[in-house]
Amino acid sequence: MTLPRRPWTLRTRLVVSAVSLIAVVAAVIGSVTAIAFRSYMYGKLDDQLHSVVERAQRPPGPLPLPDSLREAGPLGFVGGGGQPLGTFGALVDADGDVTASKVVEDSGLRAQESAKPLTGEQRTALENAAPGTGGGTRSVDLPGLGGYRVEATTTAEGDTVLVGIPSAEVSGALTTLIVVEVCVTAAGLIAASIAGTVLVGVALRPLRRVAVTATRVSELPLHSGEVALLERVPDAEADPRTEVGQVGAALNRMLGHVGSALAARQESETRVRQFVADASHELRTPLASIRGYAELTRRTGGGAAGPEPDPVTRHALGRIESEADRMTGLVEDLLLLARLDAGRPLSYGTTDLLPLVVDAVSDARAADGTGAEGPGTGPGAPHRPVTGPGARHHWRLELPEAAEPVTVRADPERLQQVLVNLLANARTHTPPGTTVTVSVQPPVRGDGPVTFEVCDDGPGIPVELLPHVFERFARGDVSRSRGAGTGTSTGSTGSTGLGLAIVQAVVSAHGGRVRVESAPGRTVFAVELPADGTPGIDSQVGDRLTTPA
């Protein structure tokens, strides 16, 4: 598996580009300098070689040297003095073989020079690489002696002589020059990298401040509630005469537009919430009147002494009462959500969760088709079936073994509403015969949350609906078999789609969280609430209750 390459930052790219450009320029300058220096040095060496070659063509007269070095012949110039140490002369026959050779060698005495013949290996290397007469100058490497510049010439007697002078000094000077150039270039690149990093970092500092501003804006909760978008790029980084300033000015204009849009959205949401709250409050009275007059008419037949209404009229009045009750429930839910959205504080205190759970399960079982009290509804055994005769679902309780209360810091009425909504959701959206289990888990640690779960083995929530179950007016009618087999007396099992939205709003207002997991055969709604006595819980809940949901 190939790991993705980490992208370079802008500062790194700028520094690398600048250093690479400097490296290219330094390489060009160094190469041109080395080539020019080599040409110059080898030119001087060739001039010196030409002088020796001229001396070989016209050898001088008798030399003031010891008898051992004083000899006539084509190679007499080798020991005649005036040549660089290591200069050699070689006599070549018509077949190109070296027949005689001499090389100047330092004898250890500054005023004297000595000469000795070349070795067989050196003569072989010279024969293989020696230029022909009039072939110009070339470089030859002789074993044990090093590099040489060699030129062939013909003496006045008609002999072919190879003359060579060592090039080690020139090669050493050229090598020293290259090493110095490489070291100076490397030191310059390191210095340029350090200086470039500092300079580019200083130059990009305004851009980093622009990025910091954008990051702070990205961390603001813009999705809900009232948002004061006051973040702006400082004027020093918003000067349109510079590239960074153009980015900062564009970001400021964008933030201004976004702030205006958020303000308009908040104003619109406020008006809608206010309208919903006012409408819900105003509808409560006429709905109560409709229920009252419908019940009065059903009982009296329209007059105090009039006849009883016929069955059709009684059925119509019953439908009016049931729809009025349903409308009242919807109005109450909307009013509660409007109050939570407005951040109105709840009345919370130390609340024992176990009695609330037991009462809520008993009420759900009763609403499911029976009013008989099932066994084991109080704290005690961990598993308590509470299904009685006539119930369409199987209801189970799983409470802690210990009889100690499980307390939370909550508004008991709103917490009761959370339990009722979750159980009603399980009862309404699962078919008959489904087992619904309610469990309570005390804090694992002293400061951990209290968790209660509502689990059923129904058909589950569709995957496409699962992310939206807590949204307002979200309904699971398609696959959760809403109202299947319930057969209420009113004939209406319609869901408003606000139950789970109220659950999330109330739980969030208490500083807790609710989550759902669903698969065919198992759906779990888990609610976590801070335990009573959790450090800082009062301030956390206070913040939650005064912040719009």
Side-chain angles (χ1 to χ4, degrees):
M1 179 178 179
T2 303
L3 296 176
R5 188 173 62 179
R6 183 178 179 181
W8 285 5
T9 62
L10 177 60
R11 179 172 64 178
T12 302
R13 291 199 298 268
L14 290 176
V15 172
V16 170
S17 300
V19 172
S20 300
L21 182 60
I22 295 174
V24 171
V25 173
V28 171
I29 294 175
S31 300
V32 172
T33 302
I35 293 173
F37 182 75
R38 181 183 184 280
S39 177
Y40 172 74
M41 293 299 293
Y42 272 97
K44 291 186 62 177
L45 187 64
D46 290 344
D47 292 340
Q48 190 175 8
L49 177 61
H50 293 330
S51 299
V52 178
V53 168
E54 291 177 355
R55 194 173 302 166
Q57 292 173 345
R58 296 184 296 274
L63 300 174
L65 294 175
D67 295 337
S68 59
L69 296 177
R70 185 178 299 148
E71 70 176 24
L75 302 181
F77 72 94
V78 175
Q83 286 76 243
L85 293 178
T87 300
F88 75 84
L91 186 62
V92 181
D93 60 13
D95 296 330
D97 297 330
V98 177
T99 58
S101 62
K102 285 185 179 182
V103 57
V104 176
E105 189 179 59
D106 188 4
S107 63
L109 300 176
R110 295 181 180 274
Q112 294 182 353
E113 295 175 341
S114 62
K116 69 174 184 177
L118 295 173
T119 64
E121 186 178 9
Q122 293 168 352
R123 287 198 303 269
T124 301
L126 187 60
E127 291 170 355
N128 295 332
T133 303
T137 304
R138 64 180 303 175
S139 297
V140 177
D141 190 14
L142 299 181
L145 295 178
Y148 274 80
R149 295 290 286 178
V150 179
E151 184 177 347
T153 185
T154 303
T155 65
E157 291 80 9
D159 298 321
T160 302
V161 177
L162 296 179
V163 181
I165 60 176
S167 59
E169 185 177 355
V170 174
S171 300
L174 185 60
T175 301
T176 302
L177 175 64
I178 294 175
V179 171
V180 170
E181 286 181 342
V182 170
C183 293
V184 171
T185 301
L189 292 179
I190 294 174
S193 301
I194 296 173
T197 301
V198 175
L199 294 177
V200 172
V202 173
L204 294 180
R205 190 175 300 165
L207 188 59
R208 288 197 298 271
R209 286 195 284 265
V210 173
V212 168
T213 301
T215 301
R216 288 199 300 266
V217 173
S218 67
E219 294 172 351
L220 294 176
L222 305 178
H223 61 281
S224 63
E226 184 175 0
V227 179
L229 192 56
L230 303 178
E231 295 290 344
R232 291 294 185 275
V233 177
D235 294 338
E237 280 76 46
D239 188 352
R241 294 174 295 180
T242 64
E243 289 79 2
V244 176
Q246 292 173 5
V247 175
L251 182 59
N252 281 345
R253 288 194 298 271
M254 183 188 69
L255 292 177
H257 294 322
V258 173
S260 300
L262 291 175
R265 184 215 68 185
Q266 180 61 26
E267 184 179 357
S268 175
E269 289 184 358
T270 302
R271 288 198 300 266
V272 171
R273 290 171 180 170
Q274 187 62 39
F275 169 77
V276 172
D278 294 342
S280 301
H281 182 75
E282 295 298 331
L283 285 173
R284 297 168 73 183
T285 300
L287 286 173
S289 300
I290 292 173
R291 290 201 313 273
Y293 280 112
E295 183 178 359
L296 179 62
T297 303
R298 179 170 53 82
R299 290 181 179 180
T300 63
E308 290 290 330
D310 57 86
V312 175
T313 303
R314 285 199 304 271
H315 175 73
L317 293 174
R319 292 291 297 142
I320 292 173
E321 292 178 4
S322 66
E323 291 303 319
D325 290 339
R326 182 167 175 267
M327 190 67 177
T328 300
L330 174 61
V331 168
E332 294 291 343
D333 290 345
L334 289 174
L335 186 58
L336 174 60
L337 287 174
R339 288 174 176 173
L340 292 175
D341 288 343
R344 296 185 182 180
L346 302 178
S347 176
Y348 64 94
T350 300
T351 303
D352 188 0
L353 188 60
L354 297 181
L356 294 180
V357 172
V358 172
D359 293 342
V361 173
S362 299
D363 295 343
R365 180 185 56 79
D368 197 32
T370 180
E373 183 70 24
T377 57
H383 300 282
R384 299 177 178 82
V386 291
T387 302
R392 283 174 288 272
H393 292 73
H394 303 284
W395 300 90
R396 293 176 62 86
L397 269 176
E398 295 182 2
L399 301 181
E401 290 282 355
E404 298 179 357
V406 179
T407 58
V408 294
R409 190 74 169 168
D411 185 332
E413 293 184 2
R414 297 308 173 202
L415 197 56
Q416 180 77 17
Q417 188 171 12
V418 169
L419 291 165
V420 170
N421 286 3
L422 290 176
L423 295 175
N425 178 75
R427 185 183 72 248
T428 304
H429 296 287
T430 55
T434 301
T435 299
V436 181
T437 304
V438 182
S439 61
V440 178
Q441 302 173 9
V444 178
R445 302 183 305 273
D447 57 349
V450 174
T451 304
F452 66 88
E453 296 180 350
V454 177
C455 176
D456 66 72
D457 57 0
I461 303 174
V463 176
E464 64 274 10
L465 182 64
L466 195 60
H468 309 287
V469 293
F470 294 110
E471 296 179 1
R472 298 177 186 184
F473 302 106
R475 300 183 180 185
D477 303 346
V478 176
S479 64
R480 295 274 285 175
S481 302
R482 182 172 63 88
T486 55
T488 61
S489 61
T490 64
S492 174
T493 61
S495 170
T496 62
L498 295 177
L500 295 180
I502 292 176
V503 169
Q504 187 184 48
V506 172
V507 172
S508 298
H510 284 84
R513 69 187 187 102
V514 58
R515 66 180 188 276
V516 59
E517 299 176 1
S518 182
R522 177 176 172 82
T523 299
V524 180
F525 286 88
V527 176
E528 294 181 359
L529 294 172
D532 188 27
T534 300
I537 185 57
D538 290 339
S539 61
Q540 294 174 12
V541 172
D543 293 340
R544 293 278 185 154
L545 297 180
T546 56
T547 302

